[in-house]
Amino acid sequence: MSIWWSLHLRREAASVPLARRLLLGTMETAGVDPDVSYELSVALTEACANAVEHGGRGADGAGLSGAAYRVTAYLDGETCRIEVADSGPGFPGAELPAASSDAEHGRGLRLIEELADHVQFGNRSGRGGAVVSFDKILKWKDSPSLLLA
């Protein structure tokens, strides 16, 4: 089975639940185990919240403006890959700063690392902006709602 979708969203808090609901609906329809779907939806929520809070400064020439960010999800075989890209200043260095329990920022990115199987935090080359992408191996319900060949 292979499903993908992409959203171009305004950098507003109200956009985050929209992305989450679309992901959960896709997972339910495809027959993904609810626990896996929930973990992916929490990780997506954190990535979108990061884009909303930090992701804008102006037009970047690639269709994203400081008022927007992009979410793309791929369900391909046994894996789901999600990517959230914005047009903000990007991540400051090669490594994320360590988040402590009393840190104001960075806990959401650490949560994504805990919930996903493989995570990449990077910057969009030449255009500016951060990219958060993560993969998770899917588990399936006993009787999927959608059977695709």
Side-chain angles (χ1 to χ4, degrees):
M1 170 185 355
S2 188
I3 301 171
W4 75 271
W5 51 260
S6 186
L7 298 172
H8 187 169
L9 299 166
R10 294 185 56 83
R11 273 186 54 238
E12 298 173 354
S15 68
V16 177
L18 173 63
R20 182 178 175 136
R21 282 192 301 267
L22 183 58
L23 178 68
L24 286 170
T26 301
M27 297 291 191
E28 171 67 23
T29 302
V32 175
D33 178 80
D35 291 338
V36 172
S37 297
Y38 176 76
E39 289 175 357
L40 279 168
S41 73
V42 171
L44 174 63
T45 298
E46 293 298 333
C48 290
N50 190 68
V52 167
E53 184 173 350
H54 304 289
R57 69 164 184 262
D60 73 352
L64 290 180
S65 71
Y69 68 101
R70 181 174 293 124
V71 176
T72 307
Y74 307 90
L75 277 75
D76 191 18
E78 299 296 315
T79 304
C80 178
R81 178 175 186 81
I82 297 173
E83 180 177 287
V84 178
D86 64 46
S87 59
F91 293 107
E95 292 185 25
L96 293 173
S100 63
S101 59
D102 62 346
E104 182 84 17
H105 300 287
R107 290 179 298 210
L109 299 178
R110 298 294 174 221
L111 183 56
I112 294 168
E113 289 180 320
E114 291 297 318
L115 294 170
D117 295 324
H118 180 259
V119 181
Q120 288 183 300
F121 301 108
N123 293 322
R124 294 173 46 186
S125 55
R127 297 184 181 133
V131 178
V132 176
S133 60
F134 50 96
D135 301 340
K136 188 157 184 80
I137 303 296
L138 299 175
K139 294 179 187 170
W140 305 95
K141 294 188 287 189
D142 291 335
S143 58
S145 304
L146 176 67
L147 297 174
L148 298 176

